[in-house]
Structure formats: C-alpha cells, structure tokens
Amino acid sequence: MEKYGTWTLKKGFAEMFKHGVIMDVTTAEQARIAEEAGAVAVMALERVPADIRKQGGVARMASVQKIKEIMDAVSIPVMAKVRIGHIAEAMILEALGVDFIDESEVLTPADDKYHINKHEFKVPFVCGARNLGEALRRIAEGAAMIRTKGEAGTGNIIEAVKHMRQVMDEIRRIQNMPDEELVTYAKEIGAPVELVAEVKRLGRLPVVNFAAGGVATPADAALMMLLGADGVFVGSGIFKSKDPRKMAKAIVAAVMYYDDPKMLAKISEDIGEAMPGQDIAELAVRMQERGW
Amino acid sequence: MKIGVLGVQGDIREHVETLRSMGVDVEIVKKSEQLDEIDGLIIPGGESTTISKLMKFAGLWDVLKDMVSKGFPVFGTCAGMIVLSKRVTNNPSQETLGVIDIDVERNAYGRQVNSFEVDLEIKGVDVPIRGVFIRAPRIVRMGSEVEVLAVHNGTPVFVRQGKIMVASFHPELSGSSHVHRIFLETMR
C-alpha cells in the first residue's frame, strides 16, 4: 500500500533542495524569472520582506489567488508562508496543494506562545531558528527543514552569519560532549534530549538546514555555504536588485561554486547593483525575535 | 573502481553515503576533467531544471552526453532520470541529454502531498525495496531496447538500456544499497 505524508517523504523532499536557491516571488512573472535562473523552488508572497518592513501593518499569508497564479506559472516546487501558530492558514495552503509551508517570523505572528503541530499535516514545513535549541524545538513540532533566520528584508548578512555560526558551534560542542552531559544540556537549550543525542550521532541537524535573511549578493550566498548551510533562501535580494535576472542566475551559480575563488569572481562580474542594505541597529522591528 | 556523483545540486550526500557504505571509492563531480577519473556517474535527485542549467554552465553537458552515448555507465534517480531521458512530454522545451530511449512526464503523480512510498519488487533482488517517490516523474514511452527492472501499478519505474539505468524513485533514501549494487553490476 502507498503511504503519503510520511517523515521520510517530508524530510526526503527537503534533501532535494540541497545546494540550491529558493527565491521569494510576488507575481507569476517573477516566478518564471526565478525558474529560468535555476531556482530549486519559489516562495509565493504578497510582498517581499523589505516591503513588509517598509509598509508595516499585519503581514498575513498571501492571497489564494496569488498562490494559485504562481503555482500555475512554474514547474518547480512552490512554497508559501503562514503566520507562526496559524493552523488555519496552513490548512488552506495544504488544500491548495502548496509543496512546502514556511511557518515564518517574516509574517506577523498569530500566536504568541505556540507554533503549529506540523506532524498533523501531510505537507512538509520549514521553520526559522537562531540557535540549536530553537531548531530542535521546531523539529520536535514536525518541521522537516530548518532555515537560520538572519534578519529578513535588510540586505545585511550579519544576522544570518551570527545564527549559522551559533547553530554550527552548538553542534560541534555536542559532538565533544560526553553522554552524561546531554540531558542537562538539552534542558539548558530547551530541546528534547532524543534530538540532542541524534545531533551528536550525526554531527549535523537531523534535517536540511538552509540560510536565510539578508542574502543580497553571490558572495553572501557563498559565505553562507562556507559556514555550512545546505542551501540558501533569497528574499528581497533578487527582486529588489537592479537586474533581477542576472542577480538570480549569479546567486544560483555561487551556491554551486562557493569554494572556488576564480569562479566566484567570474560569477560576480557585471550583475548590476545589489539591493540597498540596512544597518541592524536602525531597525524598528527585529523579525528574528518572533518564535518561541 | 571509482564512482562519481554529479555534484551540482540535489541529494548528493545520500548517494555518496550509500556508495561509501558499500566500500566504493566516490568522487563528487563538478568539472568535466573529473569525468576521466571515474568509471561511472550517478545523477542524484534534485530539481531537474536547475541540474541541467548548472551542468551546462559547468561545461559538463556536451562532454557527458558524448561519453554516455559511447557506453559510459550512468545512473539517474528522479531528476537524474529526467535529465537522461529523450523528452519531457509535459514540458517539451526542457532540454535533456536524450541518451536513454524513454519519454517522461514530470511531477506525474502530482504535487508534494501526492508523494508516496511503497514496497517494490525489483528484478534480481529477493527482498522488497522501499520506493520513495517524491514529485516523481513517470515513464510514458519506452523504446524496445529498454529493459524493465521494476514496475509500480503497471508503470515501469526502474529501467535500464545498456549501461544507462534510471529510477523514478530515490533508492538513496531507502536505507538499502541493493539498487546501487545493480548499477555496479551493470557497469561491468
């Protein structure tokens, strides 16, 4: 008998994105540009994070119309975002046949205490994390993929670097930890001890871990790969740049050639201006702080 | 003997780990020069449109096409099967290597919620193998020289033509190395 929605299928699907770039898009036309540039998936949104930040107000799941339009436009997988804890938005996206749901801090949270029980769904989920404890809590709730949060919509890579280094540092510490210390460590970081033990055994997260939040250039994408990301989400970085087609292609190539200096130099040439960036200290809202 | 795993995009690590668990020497291939150092190549699962674009960008496309048509062994899983096929029926503009005489339909079983796993009976393997089908392609036409190695619901899902082998599913996610063993035997 065929089995659907299993952990193997959810986690396995995320494995297929590895060494790839997932791009935020707000129209069918942008989705086609992303596919043409070599994106492994697109994230359907009403507004990119930079505009959410600028316009303020409550950011919600994209309209059904918008999501359908983007699903019809491309052959690659389509992801979409729901507000943290918004079970009903997730039910709607699953019913639409969206391939992956991002329970995202980029949207305004719907619940200030709890995330969605993602085991209840057949569709896989990705969630943001700033450290190992947060990543393992999301996996315990059923997330089949993690992305370090960074600070979305800023075009500033520092927070993405901080979060990726934090997760990798904690993984390295666990690998050197004797077993008797695992329970206390799990308590300290607020994560299930079984998952902490699994991280020790694997030497990595039990699911795919992408970088997100601030990637604006091919060099940014390569930096995140060098720090151990399995792939990269690019939000505002593509369609807020001067030449989205060129920037999208260059970032895709940079993820493949992240450790090849000559190729990176070639890829980074003649790609137009990157999106304008923002200093983290000047931000009114730090989206990364959303998530419990 | 050394096997290459195409290292442009997708679940490269899962193939590498399966081969290493069998004691096979493995090389991750990103450049055409590396093709001379290996005895066979696996094209992993991933996004077929991305893999094709990056293969061209890396200068691997024409070199590999030429080598495979002269008998170089290659095994494609899921996206790898699409890349090796003659034609993508529901996306005819998608360029493929066209080295195995099959036509495929992409995402033929539906979107991710329709992805499934099921036990498969595979020719020459005496235990059932877990077939993991993720937004899988379906073979819709097959030439007479293509040999069927496994079928699901009347559709061939694992086939071989000479030293070219393709699967709709992901043997690298099945926790078994039987299918990879068949590729090693096919290479001889």
Side-chain angles (χ1 to χ4, degrees), chain B residues 3-180:
Chain B
I3 310 282
V5 176
L6 184 70
V8 303
Q9 194 273 316
D11 68 336
I12 300 156
R13 181 181 67 211
E14 284 62 31
H15 279 287
V16 170
E17 284 176 356
T18 306
L19 290 167
R20 288 203 176 129
S21 76
M22 300 163 75
V24 176
D25 203 3
V26 190
E27 173 140 344
I28 295 173
V29 175
K30 287 190 180 190
K31 291 181 172 162
S32 60
E33 305 90 86
Q34 290 173 285
L35 293 171
D36 300 330
E37 297 159 22
I38 53 170
D39 303 289
L41 181 75
I42 293 179
I43 305 180
E47 191 46 52
S48 64
T49 51
T50 307
I51 293 175
S52 305
K53 285 184 175 90
L54 288 171
M55 281 174 79
K56 282 180 198 159
F57 185 74
L60 285 160
W61 190 260
D62 294 328
V63 184
L64 187 65
K65 186 172 179 162
D66 189 50
M67 283 173 73
V68 176
S69 40
K70 288 177 183 153
F72 181 73
V74 63
F75 175 27
T77 60
C78 193
M81 169 164 127
I82 298 169
V83 170
L84 292 166
S85 72
K86 273 260 182 308
R87 208 166 69 93
V88 182
T89 54
N90 54 343
N91 195 9
S93 63
Q94 185 172 346
E95 219 183 316
T96 57
L97 287 173
V99 287
I100 183 165
D101 193 12
I102 58 168
D103 291 349
V104 299
E105 186 186 339
R106 266 181 70 197
N107 310 328
Y109 298 88
R111 305 193 72 98
Q112 174 59 14
V113 287
N114 304 111
S115 292
F116 61 95
E117 48 176 307
V118 70
D119 280 343
L120 297 173
E121 219 175 278
I122 291 175
K123 203 170 161 183
V125 180
D126 49 13
V127 290
I129 299 297
R130 200 67 180 161
V132 180
F133 292 78
I134 298 176
R135 283 175 49 103
R138 184 175 5 217
I139 298 174
V140 291
R141 186 199 60 82
M142 227 173 59
S144 55
E145 287 179 18
V146 179
E147 175 195 3
V148 177
L149 299 173
V151 171
H152 172 62
N153 281 350
T155 304
V157 292
F158 181 30
V159 302
R160 176 166 65 187
Q161 179 185 333
K163 294 189 174 181
I164 308 165
M165 208 170 94
V166 294
S168 290
F169 56 98
H170 293 281
E172 73 279 14
L173 298 181
S174 67
S176 123
S177 56
H178 283 96
V179 171
H180 288 75

Side-chain angles (χ1 to χ4, degrees), chain A residues 164-211:
Chain A
M164 187 58 73
R165 281 201 184 275
Q166 176 69 28
V167 170
M168 292 301 168
D169 178 56
E170 288 173 291
I171 291 171
R172 284 189 290 267
R173 274 173 63 197
I174 289 178
Q175 280 181 277
N176 291 319
M177 215 174 262
D179 284 349
E180 67 269 22
E181 294 182 9
L182 295 182
V183 172
T184 301
Y185 186 72
K187 187 182 81 175
E188 278 168 15
I189 66 170
V193 68
E194 294 76 15
L195 288 176
V196 172
E198 197 179 348
V199 169
K200 180 180 172 181
R201 189 169 53 79
L202 292 170
R204 56 174 164 82
L205 285 183
V207 301
V208 165
N209 182 26
F210 268 45

Side-chain angles (χ1 to χ4, degrees), chain A residues 111 129 136 146-147 184 221 228 272:
Chain A
D111 193 318
L136 296 183
I146 293 294
R147 51 173 177 74
T184 301

